Amino acid sequence: MRTEEIGIFENETACDWLYKLEDREDLSLVMDSLDNVLDVEDDYLEAFEAEEGLAAAETVARLKGEWGMRDASTEIVDKWVEEYKITPTKNLIKKSLAVVARIQKAPSELLELQKDGKKFDEWKNVLDDLTERLKR
């Protein structure tokens, strides 16, 4: 079940997203992923879009120097951030914050899946941590 892991990059969708990021030298994938979540507005947000949006928001936090947890699941993004050293704009940070907030607002498939899982509080803590790092 996809709710067993709570880390931003601990799911298949985010792992696939990271492999796409490796092939980019700019923020186009990050911006597209954030926009895909925000373009849903109040319609139903699919889990895969939410997971890609969280991966993008986490990338923005790391570009700001707010690394958070670093482990094997973050190795690709960490290497990419260190290689390209792109400074995110205030607008990109604002979009990232909006994405994290939208994912936690119904209707959101990922929110539903996490609420049905055993680690909802831990997942919520991961998103709260991401939000705080984006705000710093």
Side-chain angles (χ1 to χ4, degrees):
M1 178 181 265
R2 76 187 312 144
T3 60
E4 289 303 310
E5 300 300 335
I6 57 162
I8 302 291
F9 296 108
E10 293 178 345
N11 62 74
E12 188 175 330
T13 301
C15 288
D16 290 346
W17 187 92
L18 285 173
Y19 291 121
K20 293 178 200 171
L21 181 68
E22 274 187 312
D23 295 334
R24 306 287 175 102
E25 297 179 9
D26 61 18
L27 292 173
S28 59
L29 179 65
V30 171
M31 291 186 296
D32 288 347
S33 299
L34 296 173
D35 287 340
N36 287 343
V37 171
L38 298 177
D39 287 348
V40 170
E41 295 181 351
D42 291 330
D43 290 335
Y44 192 74
L45 178 62
E46 300 286 340
F48 79 92
E49 289 174 318
E51 289 168 337
E52 289 182 350
L54 287 174
E58 179 63 44
T59 302
V60 172
R62 289 169 188 272
L63 287 168
K64 289 184 65 198
E66 297 293 338
W67 293 88
M69 182 187 74
R70 294 177 83 167
D71 64 13
S73 72
T74 68
E75 193 173 300
I76 292 172
V77 70
D78 294 340
K79 182 180 173 188
W80 189 89
V81 166
E82 290 168 348
E83 181 175 350
Y84 293 105
K85 295 177 176 42
I86 300 169
T87 302
T89 64
K90 288 182 182 180
N91 186 49
L92 189 59
I93 295 165
K94 183 179 175 180
K95 273 188 175 186
S96 297
L97 285 164
V99 163
V100 177
R102 173 59 187 91
I103 289 165
Q104 296 178 76
K105 177 184 156 219
S108 168
E109 183 181 23
L110 187 58
L111 176 64
E112 292 168 6
L113 290 169
Q114 291 295 342
K115 280 185 174 179
D116 290 343
K118 297 175 184 173
K119 297 183 179 182
F120 178 72
D121 290 337
E122 293 172 57
W123 178 74
K124 182 79 170 85
N125 288 340
V126 168
L127 298 191
D128 290 347
D129 175 68
L130 175 56
T131 298
E132 288 306 310
R133 288 185 290 115
L134 285 165
K135 288 180 177 179
R136 287 188 211 137

